[in-house]
């Protein structure tokens, strides 16, 4: 591949010149590039509040408010990560937003809460505690990351995607499970059309259009759904042009031990993912992330998460898909991403803009969700590909952890005999799968093992035999 002239010019710059990460580009270029980052992660930011809000049973107006709040807090978290204050913020081109890792545990909290009006305050209280504990643990965690190798993180990320796919399948069947037309051919056709549109855009387009294929698929699917009579523009008509996410709009935070434990597990997963993302992004922008960078980045993630519930937002984490965008465009300035954070804040302050997502019919969301959530699972599989699955220990870790993690998905009532507080954790496949992966990794790859033994390759079922390779 030929080297771009700009790359050669950068290579000739003296050591004391401004690093591309700290470069301030022309305002128009920063604005358009920042919008591209927002477009690449927009669907990922609005999906969690849609899932949790639907589980709580929020009205269209309240769902719009929750979506706007998550956009607003994502912008604030992005500012914290890219611009930084004191020893907080990696100061890398990171986009932050609501983490998918928290969706399944949050819906489990909702399901176990008798009075649904208490569900969001309980979630917010748990996120605040998890965020503060994560902030305090950041200096230690950046040293303990060796206990979260790809075999653990890959398993957890795969479980995140697998746990969310049933949500997409539910959306594809319609808005109301109790309705007579739930799962009708009409709804499934809309979902299928949306899925095909997204796939075609990803296959036959390039650059910016390819990056926003999911967003374009949602728009096209919504337009196609209008003749079917399932597109409701009421939320837009009822939304204000300007608004502010009132602090604790859904009630003061409540602190329940089981919910806190569940979200602390999610925080560990989130911090692990963010660490991996910082290491990857550091290589992409040619500013390797050292221990201090990771520590500062984790502080930004956790502090952003702790502050997010104040404005009715959820746990925040780095968005990995934007790393790919940085690598593709070669625009490495953190100020570009800060511009994107500004757009997120403005969208959060404009309820009408936030309400647009509420217009999208559930079947259309379901079709796009198959790609979105499936991509998360695929990312986990990519990580597992680098996890050394030629070693029997790692095969066993993945096998058992995945099995434990899919129990709540395949057999939802498996833990019905356990106390309700324990079920908040047990009914989250991500939480149980993460705990299983960490513990098994310690038992098989660390405790009582010499380095030579860790390198030995044996059959998963019969110690001492090598894995046969079929040619």
């Amino acid at each position: 591949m030929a080297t771009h002239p700009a790359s050669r010019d950068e290579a000739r710059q003296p050591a004391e010149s401004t690093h591309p990460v700290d470069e301030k580009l022309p305002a128009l270029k920063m604005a358009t590039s920042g919008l591209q980052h927002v477009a690449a992660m927009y669907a990922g930011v609005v999906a969690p509040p849609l899932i949790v809000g639907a589980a709580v049973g929020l009205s269209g107006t309240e769902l719009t408010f929750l979506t706007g709040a998550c956009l607003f807090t994502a912008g604030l978290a992005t500012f914290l990560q890219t611009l930084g204050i004191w020893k907080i913020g990696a100061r890398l081109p990171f986009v932050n937003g609501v983490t998918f890792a928290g969706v399944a545990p949050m819906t489990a909290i909702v399901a176990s809460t008798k009075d649904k009006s208490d569900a969001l305050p309980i979630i917010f209280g748990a996120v605040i505690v998890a965020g503060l504990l994560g902030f305090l643990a950041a200096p230690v965690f950046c040293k303990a990351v060796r206990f979260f190798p790809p075999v653990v993180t890959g398993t957890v990320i795969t479980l995140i995607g697998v746990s969310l796919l049933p949500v997409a399948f539910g959306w594809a069947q319609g808005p109301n499970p109790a309705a007579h037309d739930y799962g009708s051919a009409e709804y499934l056709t809309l979902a299928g059309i949306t899925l095909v549109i997204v796939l075609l855009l990803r296959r036959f387009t390039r650059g910016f259009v390819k990056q926003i294929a999911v967003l374009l698929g949602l728009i096209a699917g919504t337009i196609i759904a209008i003749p079917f009579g399932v597109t409701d523009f009421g939320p837009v008509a009822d939304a204000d042009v300007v608004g502010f996410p009132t602090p604790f709009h859904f009630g003061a935070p409540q602190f329940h031990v089981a919910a806190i434990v569940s979200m602390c597990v999610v925080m560990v997963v989130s911090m692990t993912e963010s660490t991996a993302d910082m290491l990857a992004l550091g290589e992409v922008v040619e500013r390797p992330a050292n221990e201090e960078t990771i520590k500062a980045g984790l502080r930004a993630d956790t502090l952003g998460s702790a502050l997010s519930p104040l404005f009715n937002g959820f746990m925040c984490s780095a968005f990995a898909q934007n790393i790919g965008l940085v690598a593709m465009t070669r625009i490495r300035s953190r100020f570009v991403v800060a511009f994107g954070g500004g757009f997120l804040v403005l969208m959060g302050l404009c309820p009408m803009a936030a309400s647009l997502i509420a217009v999208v019919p559930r079947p259309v969301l379901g079709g796009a969700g198959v790609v979105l959530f499936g991509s998360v699972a695929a990312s986990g599989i990519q990580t597992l590909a680098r996890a050394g699955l030629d070693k029997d220990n790692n095969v066993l870790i993945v096998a058992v952890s995945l099995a434990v993690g899919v129990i709540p998905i395949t057999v939802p009532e498996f833990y019905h005999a356990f106390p309700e507080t324990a079920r908040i954790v047990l009914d989250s496949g991500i939480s149980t799968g993460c705990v299983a992966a960490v513990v098994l990794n310690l038992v098989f790859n660390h405790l009582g093992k010499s380095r030579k033994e860790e390198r030995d390759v044996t059959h998963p079922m019969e110690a001492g035999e090598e894995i046969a390779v079929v040619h």
Side-chain angles (χ1 to χ4, degrees):
M1 182 182 293
T3 304
H4 193 280
S7 300
R8 291 196 295 268
D9 292 341
E10 290 172 5
R12 297 192 192 102
Q13 290 179 353
E16 63 271 17
S17 64
T18 302
H19 192 282
V21 168
D22 300 317
E23 185 180 2
K24 294 182 179 179
L25 305 177
L28 180 60
K29 188 171 184 178
M30 284 205 288
T32 53
S33 299
L35 269 176
Q36 185 169 236
H37 275 283
V38 172
M41 53 86 76
Y42 181 82
V45 172
V46 301
L50 284 174
I51 298 170
V52 178
V56 174
L58 297 182
S59 65
T61 302
E62 292 294 292
L63 196 59
T64 295
F65 182 92
L66 186 64
T67 303
C70 287
L71 290 168
F72 180 78
T73 54
L76 296 182
T78 299
F79 284 151
L80 200 59
Q81 192 67 271
T82 55
L83 303 179
I85 55 171
W86 184 57
K87 296 182 179 181
I88 301 171
R91 292 171 174 81
L92 290 173
F94 258 132
V95 175
N96 272 42
V98 182
T99 174
F100 271 109
V103 174
M106 287 191 292
T107 53
I109 292 171
V110 173
S112 64
T113 304
K114 292 181 180 180
D115 187 349
K116 299 306 179 188
S117 63
D118 290 332
L120 287 175
I122 291 173
I123 290 172
F124 293 147
V127 171
I128 290 172
V129 174
L132 293 176
L133 291 176
F135 184 85
L136 295 175
V140 177
F141 189 89
C142 67
K143 299 178 186 294
V145 71
R146 65 191 181 92
F147 294 113
F148 297 89
V151 69
V152 174
T153 56
T155 300
V156 174
I157 296 170
T158 301
L159 280 172
I160 292 170
V162 173
S163 296
L164 292 175
L165 279 172
V167 175
F169 302 148
W171 282 348
Q173 296 179 80
N176 185 6
H180 71 279
D181 60 349
Y182 186 71
S184 66
E186 179 182 273
Y187 286 149
L188 296 181
T189 299
L190 282 174
I193 290 173
T194 304
L195 174 60
V196 169
I197 291 173
V198 174
L199 292 176
L200 290 175
L201 288 171
R202 290 290 299 177
R203 173 63 182 85
F204 296 107
T205 62
R206 296 182 178 180
F208 183 57
V209 174
K210 186 174 183 177
Q211 287 292 327
I212 61 172
V214 172
L215 184 61
L216 293 177
L218 291 174
I219 295 171
T222 301
I223 294 172
I224 293 171
I226 292 176
F228 289 84
V230 295
T231 304
D232 179 16
F233 290 95
V236 177
D238 297 336
D240 297 325
V241 176
V242 179
F244 185 79
T246 312
F248 301 131
H249 175 81
F250 296 99
Q254 299 179 27
F255 303 96
H256 291 201
V257 175
I260 290 172
V261 170
S262 181
M263 296 312 296
C264 282
V265 172
V266 175
M267 179 56 72
V268 171
V269 174
S270 177
M271 292 171 74
T272 303
E273 290 180 33
S274 290
T275 299
D277 290 341
M278 278 183 268
L279 292 170
L281 184 58
E283 294 299 321
V284 169
V285 301
E286 298 177 0
R287 179 185 276 180
N290 56 26
E291 188 175 302
E292 289 301 314
T293 302
I294 294 173
K295 185 192 304 181
L298 292 177
R299 282 174 173 161
D301 269 3
T302 53
L303 182 60
S305 295
L307 295 176
S308 185
L310 174 65
F311 300 103
N312 313 284
F314 299 136
M315 188 178 292
C316 295
S317 181
F319 269 56
Q321 57 263 47
N322 291 81
I323 297 175
L325 190 57
V326 172
M328 182 188 70
T329 63
R330 301 295 296 165
I331 298 175
R332 294 175 278 180
S333 172
R334 59 191 173 99
F335 298 104
V336 164
V337 175
F339 252 78
F343 285 122
L344 289 170
V345 169
L346 290 176
M347 292 172 71
L349 295 176
C350 179
M352 184 171 288
S355 69
L356 291 175
I357 194 65
V359 172
V360 181
R362 290 292 171 82
V364 174
L365 280 173
V370 170
V371 177
L372 191 63
F373 303 154
S375 296
V376 176
S379 297
I381 295 171
Q382 287 177 328
T383 303
L384 286 174
R386 305 191 300 270
L389 294 185
D390 56 337
K391 297 179 175 62
D392 67 318
N393 289 349
N394 289 344
V395 171
L396 284 171
I397 292 168
V398 174
V400 176
S401 300
L402 286 177
V404 171
V406 300
I407 287 174
I409 305 170
T410 55
V411 191
E413 297 301 317
F414 188 82
Y415 298 109
H416 72 278
F418 284 74
E420 191 171 292
T421 51
R423 291 191 62 181
I424 292 179
V425 177
L426 296 174
D427 283 344
S428 167
I430 297 170
S431 299
T432 54
C434 177
V435 172
V438 170
V439 172
L440 290 172
N441 180 60
L442 286 173
V443 171
F444 281 93
N445 289 335
H446 292 277
L447 299 181
K449 298 286 287 184
S450 68
R451 291 191 176 276
K452 179 181 183 303
E453 288 175 318
E454 290 177 7
R455 290 194 296 268
D456 288 343
V457 179
T458 56
H459 193 280
M461 307 308 292
E462 298 180 23
E465 293 184 7
E466 292 186 352
I467 296 177
V469 179
V470 180
H471 297 284

